[in-house]
Amino acid sequence: MALVNENFLKLPGSYLFSDIAKKVNTFKVTHPKQDVIRLGIGDVTQPLPPAVIKAMHNAVEEMASKSTFRGYGPEQGYNFLIETIIKNDYASRGISLEPSEVFINDGAKSDTGNIGDILRHDNSVGITDPVYPVYIDSNVMAGRAGDLIDGKWSNLVYIPCLSENNFIPQIPDRRIDMLYLCYPNNPTGTTLTKEELKKWVNYALENDTLILYDAAYEAYIQEPDVPHSIYEIKGAKKVAIEFRSFSKTAGFTGVRCGYTVVPKELNAITLDGEQVSLNKLWNRRQCTKFNGTSYITQRAAEAIYTPEGKEQIKEIINYYMTNAKIMKEGIESTGLKVFGGVNAPYLWVKTPNGMPSWKFFEQLLYEANIVGTPGVGFGPSGEGYIRLTAFGAREDCVEAMRRLKNWIK
Ligand SMILES: *Cc1c(COP(=O)(O)O)cnc(C)c1O
């Protein structure tokens, strides 16, 4: 019989969202007349922008005719999209990239999860805590995380992000081989300024650390001092891979498209001390295990960068960020402490008097009929917080704040 990869057996079941669903269902059965507002969703709700829909229709038409039909495309993505990305997302910020440094994919989850394929199993791994669970679980599967002891993986370096340190991760006193950073952050909604990110790039340069930089919420940045790309920091091309996604930027959670930047200057090392280009390795990995994102999807992504597309996604992001503003002000007026919501569609609320996340979740559900996501579900440092998202409908956000204010009077 085939032997399984036993690393998978180390993973505890992912019960967070099913536990939430169960608790909400119980409440609904026992309180059939109450209407519940869900502010826990991590998915967009607004439809795709018209420019994207039009591009997809056109691409479908091309597929219908023999002369314009497309079969397999390049594994790395079509040049029309890569060139558009470089021009709009990087050149416009003074960052030069070659087309072969950009890899189009079917979303950032795949690549943030798969990138470990090209890295040895015994690298040390740093994560900020709380964190997007993919970074941890994919390292568990690769045998890189060690064992789960008292809620923490023995081989991971947890870097706590708490209100006490303003959610700014402190540089560790030892070296780490690979480090995940996600800014603007899910779940806390907080960001790093250029100065703060620079400290991490310098740490990586000094310690030969590989930074895996997830910028899925880049499009939500409103403040001028927040970097959109890690490559805005000098030297970052030598140490960082950047992941981007059209999911939150343009409502592509169901369409599936993103991209990964692996600079040519970025090397890792063999045990013998030989420097190896990660761009080459990642290209090899993709060509072997990935056959490209669909043509229709890549045309859809290209349309985000047209003048109409840009205007339309800006409007959608403004809608979510106005929700965030309404929620932030509403929560603050109750006296609760809230973080994020300025450059990201997430609000990270501190529970009153250090109440555990799950207890506050239940009170919020039973007394205000609002559903959030318990912070502890994102890691040990999330205990004592709850995450609310701004992806809902405006009227629901307004009504939720009204309920919150009545409840906490
Ligand atoms: C939503 C999200 C992504 C995007 O994932 P896709 O696979 O592109 O939909 C990536 N990273 C974080 C932290 C996210 O919250």
Side-chain angles (χ1 to χ4, degrees):
M1 208 177 269
L3 296 168
V4 297
N5 177 349
E6 290 185 22
N7 293 319
F8 279 62
L9 308 183
K10 291 185 174 178
L11 283 169
S14 174
Y15 299 124
L16 179 63
F17 288 97
S18 64
D19 284 352
I20 292 170
K22 271 183 216 151
K23 286 185 193 289
V24 174
N25 281 339
T26 305
F27 174 81
K28 283 185 151 178
V29 170
T30 51
H31 304 76
K33 291 215 180 86
Q34 311 281 52
D35 114 87
V36 169
I37 298 178
R38 292 172 192 270
L39 298 180
I41 37 169
D43 195 355
V44 297
T45 55
Q46 295 288 312
L48 289 169
V52 167
I53 294 294
K54 187 162 157 260
M56 290 180 94
H57 277 299
N58 290 343
V60 169
E61 283 307 319
E62 285 182 68
M63 291 302 226
S65 149
K66 196 167 178 187
S67 62
T68 50
F69 167 78
R70 311 252 186 156
Y72 287 126
E75 290 93 343
Q76 302 85 348
Y78 282 104
N79 247 319
F80 64 76
L81 179 55
I82 292 174
E83 301 275 3
T84 305
I85 286 168
I86 291 175
K87 178 167 163 242
N88 288 277
D89 289 345
Y90 293 97
S92 66
R93 298 188 186 278
I95 301 159
S96 62
L97 288 176
E98 290 173 28
S100 56
E101 293 177 304
V102 178
F103 296 84
I104 309 297
N105 60 28
D106 62 354
K109 192 185 207 178
S110 311
D111 281 12
T112 51
N114 289 329
I115 196 74
D117 273 16
I118 61 169
L119 299 160
R120 252 179 82 103
H121 69 279
D122 47 3
N123 282 300
S124 58
V125 180
I127 52 137
T128 57
D129 175 36
V131 77
Y132 183 52
V134 174
Y135 314 148
I136 293 185
D137 290 1
S138 60
N139 277 292
V140 174
M141 292 171 177
R144 223 176 267 122
D147 296 303
L148 188 59
I149 301 163
D150 297 333
K152 284 190 177 182
W153 293 93
S154 55
N155 289 351
L156 297 188
V157 177
Y158 288 78
I159 307 167
C161 295
L162 305 158
S163 62
E164 289 81 352
N165 59 19
N166 224 355
F167 301 93
I168 297 166
Q170 296 301 299
I171 305 274
D173 51 12
R174 54 167 141 166
R175 66 166 301 281
I176 297 170
D177 297 314
M178 333 160 24
L179 169 75
Y180 292 83
L181 293 178
C182 172
Y183 289 99
N185 189 258
N186 177 13
T188 66
T190 59
T191 51
L192 292 185
T193 61
K194 222 168 242 179
E195 233 10 78
E196 286 149 1
L197 185 58
K198 200 174 185 178
K199 289 181 196 160
W200 282 102
V201 171
N202 289 339
Y203 167 84
L205 286 163
E206 282 157 24
N207 291 280
D208 286 329
T209 301
L210 171 64
I211 298 179
L212 302 161
Y213 194 76
D214 184 344
Y217 296 92
E218 173 275 331
Y220 289 81
I221 294 171
Q222 314 283 320
E223 294 181 319
D225 196 30
V226 178
H228 288 248
S229 164
I230 194 168
Y231 306 122
E232 288 176 42
I233 315 284
K234 199 165 160 250
K237 277 192 191 172
K238 288 198 175 69
V239 292
I241 292 176
E242 179 162 290
F243 304 93
R244 294 269 189 111
S245 168
F246 298 114
S247 284
K248 318 303 178 353
T249 303
F252 272 45
T253 52
V255 177
R256 312 302 310 140
C257 192
Y259 64 88
T260 298
V261 179
V262 189
K264 292 258 172 82
E265 293 169 44
L266 179 62
N267 287 336
I269 206 164
T270 67
L271 276 186
D272 298 336
E274 186 198 342
Q275 301 245 345
V276 177
S277 155
L278 287 183
N279 179 284
K280 269 194 191 148
L281 286 197
W282 183 246
N283 187 50
R284 190 72 173 86
R285 189 266 172 213
Q286 287 301 81
C287 290
T288 300
K289 293 196 181 181
F290 186 60
N291 245 341
T293 304
S294 87
Y295 174 70
I296 298 164
T297 297
Q298 293 189 63
R299 283 294 183 200
E302 182 190 26
I304 296 166
Y305 296 98
T306 59
E308 312 83 79
K310 283 182 186 171
E311 202 45 54
Q312 291 162 7
I313 64 166
K314 204 164 122 198
E315 215 168 282
I316 296 170
I317 288 169
N318 281 344
Y319 179 85
Y320 294 136
M321 289 313 284
T322 304
N323 284 351
K325 187 161 182 281
I326 291 167
M327 291 166 70
K328 192 172 176 74
E329 288 169 1
I331 298 162
E332 274 168 352
S333 77
T334 66
L336 285 172
K337 281 244 171 305
V338 58
F339 307 91
V342 177
N343 297 294
Y346 294 120
L347 294 116
W348 191 242
V349 184
K350 201 166 180 133
T351 64
N353 310 312
M355 188 188 292
S357 296
W358 275 109
K359 181 151 184 237
F360 188 63
F361 167 89
E362 299 224 359
Q363 285 198 356
L364 200 59
L365 174 61
Y366 277 79
E367 292 165 30
N369 309 153
I370 296 169
V371 181
T373 310
V376 68
F378 299 99
S381 296
E383 181 58 290
Y385 294 89
I386 197 158
R387 189 189 75 174
L388 300 181
T389 77
F391 285 130
R394 174 70 42 80
E395 56 274 23
D396 286 346
C397 294
V398 171
E399 170 61 14
M401 290 309 110
R402 194 191 61 79
R403 290 185 191 175
L404 202 63
K405 284 178 203 172
N406 282 339
W407 175 46
I408 304 200
K409 258 204 279 227

